[in-house]
Amino acid sequence: MQKIAINENELAERWGISPKTLQRWRSEGRGPRYLKLSKRVTYPMDEVLSFENRALYESTWERSNQVVASPDANLVSAREVATATSLPMYLLTHPRLREALGLPCVRVGKLVRFNLDEVMSWARRCSKEMEDHGIEVDTDPKAGRRSLLEAIAKLPA
C-alpha cells in the first residue's frame, strides 16, 4: 500500500535535509504545500512529487529565470561604472536607491549589470533636469567627499 502523505521527518530523510530546513521553508512560504492538523504537519505525496518535478532541470542555464543578456549588450559591473563615472558605489549597489533614481540596470541571473551608455544618458538627463529646475551644485573643496548632486553634475556631457 502506498502512503498518501508523509511527515516532515520522512520528507527530510527522503531529500537528505534537516527537518529544521523544512520548518524554515514553511515559514518562508517555500517548499511543497503541506497539511497541518493541530500540531501535526504532513506533506501529501502528490504535492511532494509535484515540487520535485518543478525542481527538475536538464542544465544549469535553465535555472536562470531572469534576463539573459545578448553577447553584444556591453554590460559592466557596478565597480566598473563607479570607476568610469565617479559615481558613488552605494548608488549602484543599493537596490532601493537604484529604483528611486531610475538608474538603468539589467539583472543577469542573480547579478546586477549596467550598460555604460545607458548610465551616461541617465546621468545627462539628471544633469539637465537639475539645470532646468535651477539646482546649482555648490562644491566644498575642504570636504573630502562629494555629494550625489555634485557627482552627477561632474559627469561628462
Side-chain angles (χ1 to χ4, degrees):
M1 184 171 145
Q2 193 163 6
K3 283 189 165 186
I4 297 173
I6 59 177
N7 66 31
E8 72 179 10
N9 290 328
E10 292 170 326
L11 183 59
E13 186 177 324
R14 175 184 174 113
W15 288 347
I17 61 176
S18 163
K20 289 282 189 187
T21 301
L22 291 171
Q23 293 169 6
R24 181 172 44 84
W25 284 3
R26 283 196 306 270
S27 71
E28 294 173 351
R30 297 171 45 192
R33 291 174 15 153
Y34 61 94
L35 180 63
K36 186 166 185 174
L37 299 171
S38 184
K39 292 182 180 181
R40 183 174 165 84
V41 175
T42 58
Y43 293 89
M45 279 307 294
D46 59 339
E47 292 294 332
V48 171
L49 294 173
S50 174
F51 182 80
E52 288 174 345
N53 286 332
R54 285 192 310 269
L56 205 57
Y57 298 99
E58 285 190 20
S59 64
T60 55
W61 67 267
E62 287 184 90
R63 297 193 75 164
S64 176
N65 59 357
Q66 302 290 335
V67 175
V68 177
S70 64
D72 59 332
N74 192 22
L75 300 177
V76 293
S77 68
R79 186 170 307 281
E80 292 169 312
V81 171
T83 302
T85 61
S86 297
L87 285 172
M89 187 73 164
Y90 71 87
L91 177 69
L92 303 164
T93 57
H94 196 280
R96 288 190 182 139
L97 268 176
R98 280 194 316 261
E99 187 178 328
L101 293 171
L103 186 63
C105 64
V106 176
R107 291 192 63 83
V108 181
K110 291 184 178 181
L111 302 174
V112 176
R113 293 293 183 246
F114 302 88
N115 183 320
L116 194 54
D117 296 331
E118 289 179 6
V119 172
M120 294 303 281
S121 67
W122 168 83
R124 280 190 223 95
R125 277 195 315 273
C126 288
S127 295
K128 179 145 179 37
E129 287 175 14
M130 287 172 23
E131 288 175 16
D132 292 346
H133 288 88
I135 299 172
E136 293 184 20
V137 180
D138 297 328
T139 58
D140 184 7
K142 294 179 183 174
R145 297 169 34 183
R146 295 186 306 170
S147 69
L148 175 59
L149 291 176
E150 188 177 353
I152 293 173
K154 290 204 181 233
L155 284 171

